[in-house]
Amino acid sequence: SSGYDVRLFTDKTKAVERSAIFREIKGLVEAGNLQRLLIYFAGHGFLRGPIDEYWLLSGAPTDSAEAVNV
């Protein structure tokens, strides 16, 4: 209702993979018509310090590459 073009990633039917998120973001940025990019993450993660945050995607328990360093 706020006019955002939304891309939803959920593990309801399959695992959410880091590469899929990065591919989508890259495509949006390379289009060259963004005024604003808002990313909302609802899931598990952790803070190692004030500027060291990680999102844990579906495969993170067995694949450290699936922990996104924000």
Side-chain angles (χ1 to χ4, degrees):
S1 68
S2 295
Y4 288 98
D5 185 6
V6 176
R7 306 296 197 279
L8 177 64
F9 294 88
T10 177
D11 62 357
K12 188 173 183 176
T13 59
K14 65 179 185 171
V16 175
E17 296 177 340
R18 176 188 171 275
S19 61
I21 295 170
F22 278 62
R23 190 171 39 254
E24 190 66 34
I25 292 170
K26 181 180 178 189
L28 291 168
V29 171
E30 287 179 348
N33 59 358
L34 286 179
Q35 292 183 352
R36 178 181 306 140
L37 177 62
L38 172 67
I39 299 174
Y40 177 82
F41 177 76
H44 294 284
F46 61 93
L47 287 171
R48 290 182 50 175
I51 59 170
D52 198 10
E53 177 180 346
Y54 290 83
W55 298 342
L56 300 178
L57 303 180
S58 303
T62 57
D63 182 356
S64 62
E66 293 296 308
V68 178
N69 182 349
V70 181

